[in-house]
Amino acid sequence: MDLEALRLAEAFFAGKPQALPSVRAFLLEAMGRWPGTEVVTQKSQVGLRDPRPYCALTAPGKRVKGRETPGAVLSLFLSRPLETERLIMAVEAYPGRFTNHLILPEDPADFEEVLWDWTAEARRFRCGKD
């Protein structure tokens, strides 16, 4: 596990302290499930790749679709739009490639297995790995 990458990701969310527990839990679980995953902190997001990017975490700064501002948004890169109440929007960035923006639960205890199923699907779609 790359502790420096985790530290940089946590620093990215320093302005959203309510998001830190869920972001930390998501990153640790993803790195545990898929040891080849690399966490890359950029100016606008924290990305996960293996070797291609398959999802990203962002810290939105304004209201989203009339909801309270979420602490963190998880963007999954899939071949299809998702249908879930956590979905903020799905954008077809390229033909057959959708970026699904979801509200990441603030409490890691609220992570449902379907969240990991979707993340695994994104990893398979973008990286060709199970």
Side-chain angles (χ1 to χ4, degrees):
M1 177 182 319
D2 187 345
L3 295 178
E4 179 62 13
L6 186 59
R7 186 193 67 73
L8 289 171
E10 289 176 344
F12 178 88
F13 284 93
K16 292 270 188 168
Q18 73 274 24
L20 280 174
S22 62
V23 167
R24 183 180 300 119
F26 183 84
L27 293 174
L28 289 171
E29 181 70 19
M31 290 187 293
R33 286 179 184 239
W34 305 292
T37 292
E38 181 182 6
V39 176
V40 180
T41 301
Q42 299 171 320
K43 188 175 185 177
S44 62
Q45 67 184 16
V46 175
L48 279 73
R49 64 183 184 195
D50 186 14
R52 287 190 179 121
Y54 61 91
C55 70
L57 294 161
T58 56
K62 56 185 173 184
R63 292 181 64 85
V64 178
K65 271 192 172 178
R67 303 179 195 188
E68 285 189 36
T69 305
V73 171
L74 172 64
S75 299
L76 295 169
F77 312 136
L78 296 165
S79 63
R80 64 186 179 94
L82 293 174
E83 293 183 25
T84 175
E85 64 186 33
R86 292 205 175 276
L87 184 69
I88 298 168
M89 74 171 63
V91 178
E92 191 171 18
Y94 297 98
R97 190 166 108 192
F98 291 82
T99 302
N100 292 271
H101 302 286
L102 309 167
I103 296 172
L104 187 67
E106 285 192 15
D107 184 348
D110 293 336
F111 288 6
E112 299 170 354
E113 191 57 34
V114 71
L115 177 71
W116 298 112
D117 293 345
W118 293 330
T119 306
E121 181 183 343
R123 185 171 171 270
R124 275 191 307 276
F125 174 64
R126 293 288 295 140
C127 307
K129 297 182 177 187
D130 284 326

